[in-house]
Amino acid sequence: MCYDRGQRELVYRSVALRASSMKPPVFGVSSVCAVFLVWTLFSVPWGSSYPLEGGTGSPQLRFVEEFDRFRLGFSWLNMSCSVCKAIFATLDIALLSDSNMERVAHALGEACVRLHLAEAQVCREITELFRDDVIRALQESFLWPSEACALLVGPTCGHFDIYAPWNVSLPQVPKPPVKPPTPPKPGSSQSRILFLTDIHWDAQYAEGSRVGCEMPLCCRNDSGRASWKHTGAGYWGTYGNCDLPLRTVENLLQNVAKSGPWDWVYWTGDIPAHNVWSQTRAQQLNELVTITRLIHKHLGPNVTVYPAVGNHESTPVNSFPPPFVHGNRSSRWLYDTMAEEWAPWLPKEALETIRRGGFYTVEVERGLRVVSLNTNFCARENYWLMVNSTDPAGQLQWLINILQESENKGEKVHIIGHIPPGLCLSSWSWNYYHIVNRYESTITGQFFGHTHVDEFQMFYDEDTLTRPLSVAFIAPSVTTYVNLNPGYRVYYVDGNYPGSSRMVLDHETFILNLTLANNQPSKPDPNPSWTLLYRASEAYGLSTLFPSDMDALIKVMKNDDRVFQRFWYLFQKGHISKPCTDTCKTLLICLLHSGRHDLVTQCDMLHEDKHSVRKTMC
């Protein structure tokens, strides 16, 4: 059964009236909880505007005290489905009136503290940061409690992708016959592409500060000083829940400048640190401008950089309203600055679509085009998609038009973005997979970041899911977060000559070994070395990195544990904290197959501990 917002208001007002009459025998457990929470949180008449009260007798505190009675544990994942639905039913009733916004925000902040979801400071600051946008999105959405709880508790509690399924429209142009790619002739030219992602510069990084602090992000000015028993944050960076100081980012850029020449650069976002509870628009823009200008300064005016927007560029984090949201809540504050700072690299037409939706296309050189997607429009953490998640900003339909034009002209296309497609909302991911299938002869490279580790996702023909046709390469992060060496990637792509496949032939990963960089021999190395961790062709014995090669590599890893353990070591940029065997190995290999959301879901079903391999760095 579906209701529009007006119908839902009538339904929920009816529930509220029934709650006020206190007739529990009519309701099941979930409804009783909802009624009780409505009664305790909002024991004031609807539409009133009483000021917030202090003391333990306030409705807000009575509300959160009930959480202690339920003994829900220390994570949303420990919450029962019925209680979660009760909470969100209560929120939906409350948010029918703007006068309750302050009350709701305060109650959620206190609930976060009581449930120990984070430190009290983090709970209260992040509630304050998110409150206006999230509450407005909830008010405008059609999200039911079961759908909200599917996000927090899991798919057994409901289904989140509320507008699934939806389809984009493909042109009525037959798909050209597929010609399997062939390796280039010896001596053919190659394009050497620098790839940077997930820099996560922390302006508050402090050498000697505590690594194991109580906050979600450590090694900062407010983390406290390390005691004599523990090593403090290192000069160049630290293994742990820490991001990078600016000197490390600049040192990387100085080193890659010397390692050129570069044909061009792909840069897939996530500039700010993970202090998502205390960020401002001014800080975000300052970090965007600072890093953009450092890249321009060190690489020089003759190297073109093609950027993509990450989920951390906005504040609140993951907040990317589609273009139908106007005014101060829109993303114009971010997109306009991106367009201004990236203008030396991009043509006017690209800057126009950046200002509208954060995506663009550019001809890199004759015969090759790059498409930079705003994959925040596919992210389940982007709460604005609760309002409408159907092809936000018309981006996928725009992508189809670009690909059809390129097919008509015989161009090859590289797609860059931040979030890998297999981690997107299911309908968006399914449509994207369908597009890649249709234009497999045109799309010759996909490049993403976001996960911070070194991996890839496979695309297969939709009919049998057996013929490999594309690879989404996922490069490791610049940042150390979490427990990693800093790193960057270099891609070698079939070059600029007639008949070039423009496909990835090889790649290299370079790291800064923090153990050596911070202790050389007893003090930081003033000129640390970014060293080659591995070259894919040599590590795995491959002649190219075509889809058939990467599919064959997965098959080898299944049967040869020696090869898999090498992959696991490189997956974590040479700093392993835990071994990967049995279920971990099975799950990781399954994830490599999964360029589509529903295939990732099947991997998750292999074992309940789905976080044992991948931790999405959202």
Side-chain angles (χ1 to χ4, degrees), residues 53-67:
E53 303 172 10
T56 58
S58 69
Q60 298 84 354
L61 294 182
R62 289 204 303 275
F63 168 69
V64 296
E65 283 169 357
E66 294 308 321
F67 280 104

Side-chain angles (χ1 to χ4, degrees), residues 8 33 71 97 114 130 201 256 277 294 303 306 361 589:
R8 289 180 68 181
C33 291
R71 299 187 182 278
S97 171
R114 297 297 182 93
F130 276 77
W201 159 40
V256 297
W277 65 93
L294 279 177
V303 177
Y306 300 103
T361 183
I589 288 176

Side-chain angles (χ1 to χ4, degrees), residues 17 93 96 123 230 364 407 420 477 482:
L17 290 172
I93 299 169
L96 295 174
C123 283
H230 302 94
V364 177
E407 181 180 276
S477 62
V482 175

Side-chain angles (χ1 to χ4, degrees), residues 93-228:
I93 299 169
L95 294 177
L96 295 174
S97 171
D98 285 343
S99 64
N100 288 312
M101 289 176 63
E102 187 78 26
R103 197 170 284 109
V104 168
H106 182 77
L108 289 177
E110 292 305 311
C112 175
V113 174
R114 297 297 182 93
L115 288 171
H116 302 279
L117 300 180
E119 289 298 303
Q121 175 189 346
V122 174
C123 283
R124 292 180 175 124
E125 288 187 13
I126 204 165
T127 301
E128 184 66 24
L129 180 62
F130 276 77
R131 44 174 277 174
D132 290 346
D133 282 1
V134 172
I135 287 175
R136 181 58 61 192
L138 281 169
Q139 286 179 319
E140 295 181 7
S141 79
F142 298 100
L143 197 67
W144 283 89
S146 61
E147 295 157 348
C149 293
L151 278 171
L152 296 176
V153 180
T156 57
C157 197
H159 181 62
F160 171 68
D161 206 358
I162 55 177
Y163 287 4
W166 52 266
N167 298 319
V168 291
S169 300
L170 292 172
Q172 298 298 313
V173 179
K175 179 178 178 177
V178 176
K179 298 178 181 178
T182 57
K185 296 177 180 179
S188 298
S189 69
Q190 296 183 4
S191 297
R192 188 167 180 256
I193 306 169
L194 173 64
F195 190 92
L196 302 172
T197 190
D198 296 274
I199 290 174
H200 291 292
W201 159 40
D202 188 358
Q204 295 299 315
Y205 185 95
E207 183 185 7
S209 59
R210 289 179 60 193
V211 178
C213 69
E214 301 300 322
M215 304 292 276
L217 183 65
C218 300
C219 304
R220 318 184 79 225
N221 286 323
D222 59 2
S223 301
R225 303 302 294 177
S227 67
W228 63 272

Side-chain angles (χ1 to χ4, degrees), residues 278-551:
S278 61
Q279 294 171 337
T280 67
R281 288 185 176 183
Q283 291 168 349
Q284 302 295 92
L285 295 181
N286 175 64
E287 289 161 9
L288 167 67
V289 169
T290 299
I291 298 300
T292 299
R293 294 182 182 179
L294 279 177
I295 291 174
H296 199 276
K297 169 187 172 182
H298 289 290
L299 297 184
N302 297 324
V303 177
T304 302
V305 178
Y306 300 103
V309 57
N311 62 302
H312 276 264
E313 265 69 276
S314 184
T315 185
V317 66
N318 302 308
S319 176
F320 288 85
F324 61 75
V325 177
H326 302 287
N328 190 49
R329 287 193 173 91
S330 76
S331 292
R332 286 300 299 267
W333 65 274
L334 177 62
Y335 297 155
D336 283 350
T337 303
M338 286 178 172
E340 291 168 9
E341 293 299 315
W342 297 348
W345 297 323
L346 304 175
K348 179 181 177 181
E349 296 77 12
L351 300 178
E352 289 175 355
T353 55
I354 287 174
R355 292 181 187 276
R356 186 175 71 86
F359 52 87
Y360 64 89
T361 183
V362 177
E363 184 182 57
V364 177
E365 52 191 18
R366 187 173 180 84
L368 177 64
R369 175 170 297 277
V370 63
V371 172
S372 177
L373 294 179
N374 184 350
T375 51
N376 296 293
F377 289 145
C378 78
R380 61 184 295 163
E381 296 85 5
N382 184 0
Y383 50 83
W384 284 105
L385 300 186
M386 294 187 298
V387 179
N388 187 346
S389 63
T390 303
D391 192 15
Q395 182 178 220
L396 288 184
Q397 200 65 57
W398 169 86
L399 172 63
I400 290 170
N401 295 337
I402 297 299
L403 291 172
Q404 186 59 57
E405 290 177 9
S406 292
E407 181 180 276
N408 295 342
K409 294 186 288 187
E411 288 181 333
K412 302 301 183 183
V413 173
H414 285 176
I415 295 177
I416 65 173
H418 183 68
I419 301 172
L423 301 183
C424 290
L425 286 170
S426 59
S427 289
W428 197 99
S429 180
W430 185 92
N431 277 283
Y432 181 82
Y433 204 93
H434 191 52
I435 293 168
V436 172
N437 264 259
R438 166 59 183 83
Y439 294 99
E440 66 170 292
S441 299
T442 299
I443 301 170
T444 58
Q446 300 183 66
F447 308 92
F448 299 92
H450 186 62
T451 68
H452 293 201
V453 289
D454 188 340
E455 54 183 330
F456 58 91
Q457 292 177 345
M458 292 296 302
F459 287 67
Y460 297 90
D461 69 290
E462 291 182 301
D463 293 334
T464 68
L465 291 179
T466 58
R467 181 177 66 84
L469 54 83
S470 190
V471 183
F473 292 96
I474 304 170
S477 62
V478 173
T479 187
T480 55
Y481 190 93
V482 175
N483 211 33
L484 300 167
N485 284 307
Y488 68 90
R489 167 68 54 81
V490 178
Y491 288 103
Y492 294 89
V493 173
D494 201 6
N496 185 15
Y497 62 89
S500 171
S501 71
R502 302 286 189 167
M503 300 187 76
V504 177
L505 304 176
D506 209 347
H507 65 63
E508 297 173 331
T509 296
F510 291 80
I511 64 165
L512 180 65
N513 186 318
L514 288 177
T515 303
L516 299 176
N518 287 330
N519 303 280
Q520 186 72 22
S522 58
K523 62 179 181 179
D525 186 345
N527 298 297
S529 177
W530 294 77
T531 57
L532 176 65
L533 178 65
Y534 79 105
R535 187 177 177 106
S537 60
E538 296 173 359
Y540 302 120
L542 303 173
S543 57
T544 62
L545 304 188
F546 291 171
S548 57
D549 299 303
M550 303 308 289
D551 180 62

